[in-house]
Amino acid sequence: MAHLLRSRVPTWPPPPRGPSGHTHQEHDTGQQCYDLLVIGGGSGGLACAKEGTRWGLGGTCVNVGCIPKKLMHQAALLGGSLHDASHFGWEVAQPIRHDWRKMAEAVQNYVKSLNWGHRVQLQDRKVKYFNFKASFVNKHTVCGVSKGGKETLLSAEHIVIATGGRPRYPTHIEGALEYGITSDDIFWLKESPGRTLVVGASYVALECAGFLTGLGLDATVMMRSVPLRAFDQQMASLVTNHMASHGTRFLRGCIPLKVERLSDGQLQVTWVDLASDRKDTGTFDTVLWAVGRVPETGSLNLEKAGVRTSPDTQKILVDAQEATSVPHIYAIGDVAEGRPELTPTAIMAGRLLARRLCGQSSDLMDYDNVPTTVFTPLEYGCVGLSEEEAVARHGEDSVEVYHAYYKPLEFTVPERDASQCYIKVVCLREPPRLVLGLHFLGPNAGEVTQGFALGIKCGASYEQVMRTVGIHPTCAEEVVKLRISKRSGLDPTVTGC
């Protein structure tokens, strides 16, 4: 667990400066005092420490999440582009082969460079860094234990918990822990995972299965229920339909019962179909669990500080100011109850919290209309409410949905299937028809969604979107051409350029 410390909070008179210039002092007991102590070296913790783990600095996002995931997603997209290239006149040698080892080495080297960059930034900003495992001693004191077992006491007027979470292992399934891996492991494999079973229906499960398929590997997704449960379900169905039509196999309504290693080294998985109660087996080289995450709170001894957690999720209960049940202890990011498990929200929450603690601002984090993208082979970007959420909140008669199936220009020459390229804008029916949500399925969805997110954050109406001039020819311009409502029953397929 990384500890990042910064002495810039004016609400606690700092102790005398030592020869090094750091505003801390070491007592006879070895206890070091700081204005602000941040527990956790992930995106939120770094942002908070710089503004005001088992893995290196950067946490899940940098080491085993967003960054390596997007790079491997890009590797898979390049494979598709190579197949398209011949249609545009390029002569590409066949067969096209992918070298997992070479890709993994390049991705891992880049991640390591980011770790070093974070260390340099902390040093430049006079942030003291400890690579310790942390636990609370009392409301103001934390005990840090180094890899060698040495204990150091650290005290602070303000403490921020930003420890994030870890992938969950389904330990009730025989062989799950012994033979399975998680997203913490897939990006650091030296050799190709080969034929892979991905268990789960989350965005992590679909993203991993998607890039594995795109790299030419055999990937199967086993889902107990619906995919992308927290997202718009029409969009989720289109995402999985596209994946299925491009080679990813889906076992729907199934749960694994046990995993065994065979004499040839392969893994035999036994599962049951919940609808028919029929058992079946399959052999795989790798089993990847993507069945949710658990917060890193178990070893923090939160009870010694009086910090309350949710009995259901074990996440830390916080208020609008990110404060826990102990006013000077805060929690941000994935470890906090009710917060989106997204890197950018943790970063912004950390920065805003640091500014408030430094007396520079009173701004609170706004968790409404946070954009995100699922980096499946056909990317899905969204911001605002899903269609289901809009109807539940405002009533079906008060909601209008404008939509379109479109074909990206890049898909035309190679005659790619565009049947799942789809956009919808969810609005209130009453003028000026406030936009409640945008959902975009297609190439570069993250880039498209990020741009429109600003307008939606500023309260854009459907009329304003329609008065926006599109950039031609782009996929994004299809958003400002949405004229057909679901209620009309008309064919929403875009024709012409």
Side-chain angles (χ1 to χ4, degrees):
M1 194 73 62
H3 293 200
L4 311 173
L5 306 112
R6 190 175 189 179
S7 304
R8 286 188 57 187
V9 185
T11 53
W12 189 35
R17 292 180 181 269
S20 67
H22 290 300
T23 53
H24 75 270
Q25 62 184 13
E26 189 159 326
H27 298 289
D28 294 338
T29 60
Q31 182 167 321
Q32 301 177 35
C33 301
Y34 295 86
D35 299 333
L36 174 63
L37 169 64
V38 182
I39 306 174
S43 300
L46 284 169
C48 186
K50 288 188 291 186
E51 186 75 20
T53 108
R54 190 180 94 190
W55 298 110
L57 285 173
T60 295
C61 174
V62 168
N63 295 279
V64 291
C66 319
I67 299 302
K69 177 271 301 290
K70 180 71 182 293
L71 290 173
M72 291 191 178
H73 169 65
Q74 174 64 12
L77 292 182
L78 286 171
S81 296
L82 286 172
H83 286 289
D84 288 350
S86 61
H87 295 277
F88 288 93
W90 289 97
E91 295 182 5
V92 181
Q94 300 292 335
I96 299 171
R97 292 189 176 91
H98 180 262
D99 187 332
W100 176 281
R101 178 183 283 271
K102 190 171 184 179
M103 175 196 68
E105 183 180 0
V107 170
Q108 291 158 14
N109 285 342
Y110 178 64
V111 167
K112 290 172 185 175
S113 75
L114 292 178
N115 294 153
W116 177 250
H118 283 310
R119 277 183 181 266
V120 171
Q121 288 176 5
L122 291 176
Q123 208 169 26
D124 289 346
R125 300 191 184 204
K126 302 296 188 291
V127 178
K128 181 79 172 175
Y129 168 63
F130 295 91
N131 189 5
F132 287 157
K133 187 76 173 178
S135 61
F136 279 91
V137 176
N138 56 46
K139 291 182 178 183
H140 283 283
T141 309
V142 166
C143 177
V145 182
S146 69
K147 287 182 180 179
K150 181 182 177 181
E151 293 187 356
T152 302
L153 292 179
L154 306 166
S155 65
E157 182 69 6
H158 300 278
I159 300 175
V160 178
I161 304 170
T163 49
R166 292 281 181 207
R168 183 192 305 274
Y169 270 97
T171 51
H172 63 285
I173 297 174
E174 181 183 339
L177 189 59
E178 296 88 339
Y179 305 123
I181 66 171
T182 69
S183 57
D184 272 8
D185 310 297
I186 186 72
F187 304 113
W188 290 86
L189 294 179
K190 301 295 185 186
E191 302 293 337
S192 168
R195 188 166 189 243
T196 303
L197 173 66
V198 180
V199 182
S202 65
Y203 71 88
V204 174
L206 298 186
E207 288 174 339
C208 289
F211 72 67
L212 290 174
T213 301
L215 296 175
L217 301 175
D218 185 323
T220 300
V221 179
M222 182 180 294
M223 303 188 305
R224 180 183 60 185
S225 56
V226 299
L228 300 176
R229 180 179 296 277
F231 293 83
D232 187 283
Q233 284 303 290
Q234 180 190 10
M235 305 304 292
S237 294
L238 289 169
V239 167
T240 53
N241 289 346
H242 179 271
M243 291 178 65
S245 67
H246 287 75
T248 303
R249 182 186 176 209
F250 284 89
L251 295 171
R252 297 174 182 269
C254 298
I255 57 171
L257 299 177
K258 64 178 177 179
V259 182
E260 303 168 285
R261 187 177 292 283
L262 303 177
S263 58
D264 62 1
Q266 285 195 306
L267 301 176
Q268 179 173 283
V269 180
T270 303
W271 66 85
V272 61
D273 184 304
L274 296 174
S276 65
D277 203 33
R278 184 174 66 87
K279 292 183 180 179
D280 206 345
T281 61
T283 56
F284 304 89
D285 299 305
T286 302
V287 175
L288 191 157
W289 304 107
V291 292
R293 298 178 65 81
V294 291
E296 284 274 46
T297 55
S299 62
L300 291 176
N301 289 338
L302 295 174
E303 66 281 358
K304 290 189 176 181
V307 174
R308 294 177 54 211
T309 60
S310 164
D312 299 322
T313 66
Q314 304 309 309
K315 290 190 174 188
I316 297 172
L317 300 173
V318 293
D319 62 15
Q321 300 203 29
E322 323 297 350
T324 69
S325 51
V326 181
H328 67 273
I329 300 178
Y330 304 84
I332 58 173
D334 294 6
V335 77
E337 177 69 15
R339 302 306 193 220
E341 294 185 355
L342 297 169
T343 293
T345 55
I347 291 173
M348 186 171 288
R351 286 175 177 165
L352 292 174
L353 173 58
R355 290 171 191 170
R356 292 197 300 274
L357 293 178
C358 292
Q360 296 176 356
S361 170
S362 60
D363 291 347
L364 298 177
M365 176 64 190
D366 181 0
Y367 290 97
D368 287 334
N369 292 325
V370 172
T372 191
T373 292
V374 182
F375 289 100
T376 39
L378 195 63
E379 298 175 6
Y380 166 38
C382 61
V383 57
L385 301 181
S386 67
E387 186 174 347
E388 295 92 339
E389 289 171 331
V391 169
R393 187 175 299 185
H394 300 282
E396 189 171 357
D397 291 340
S398 299
V399 173
E400 194 77 85
V401 178
Y402 295 90
H403 64 151
Y405 286 94
Y406 69 101
K407 188 161 191 173
L409 183 63
E410 299 88 341
F411 284 23
T412 55
V413 171
E415 298 181 345
R416 277 203 190 192
D417 175 29
S419 56
Q420 282 89 30
C421 291
Y422 179 75
I423 308 168
K424 69 176 173 183
V425 168
V426 182
C427 313
L428 289 176
R429 285 186 76 187
E430 185 176 331
R433 289 183 282 186
L434 181 73
V435 176
L436 302 174
L438 166 68
H439 301 267
F440 181 98
L441 186 58
N444 305 305
E447 312 298 336
V448 173
T449 307
Q450 181 70 82
F452 284 102
L454 173 60
I456 293 173
K457 191 74 174 176
C458 293
S461 68
Y462 173 75
E463 278 75 11
Q464 288 172 322
V465 174
M466 291 304 101
R467 289 199 300 270
T468 301
V469 177
I471 300 173
H472 187 70
T474 63
C475 295
E477 72 173 316
E478 301 299 338
V479 176
V480 302
K481 293 160 57 179
L482 293 174
R483 305 289 181 184
I484 295 175
S485 70
K486 277 192 175 184
R487 186 175 270 104
S488 72
L490 298 175
D491 182 3
T493 304
V494 175
T495 58
C497 66

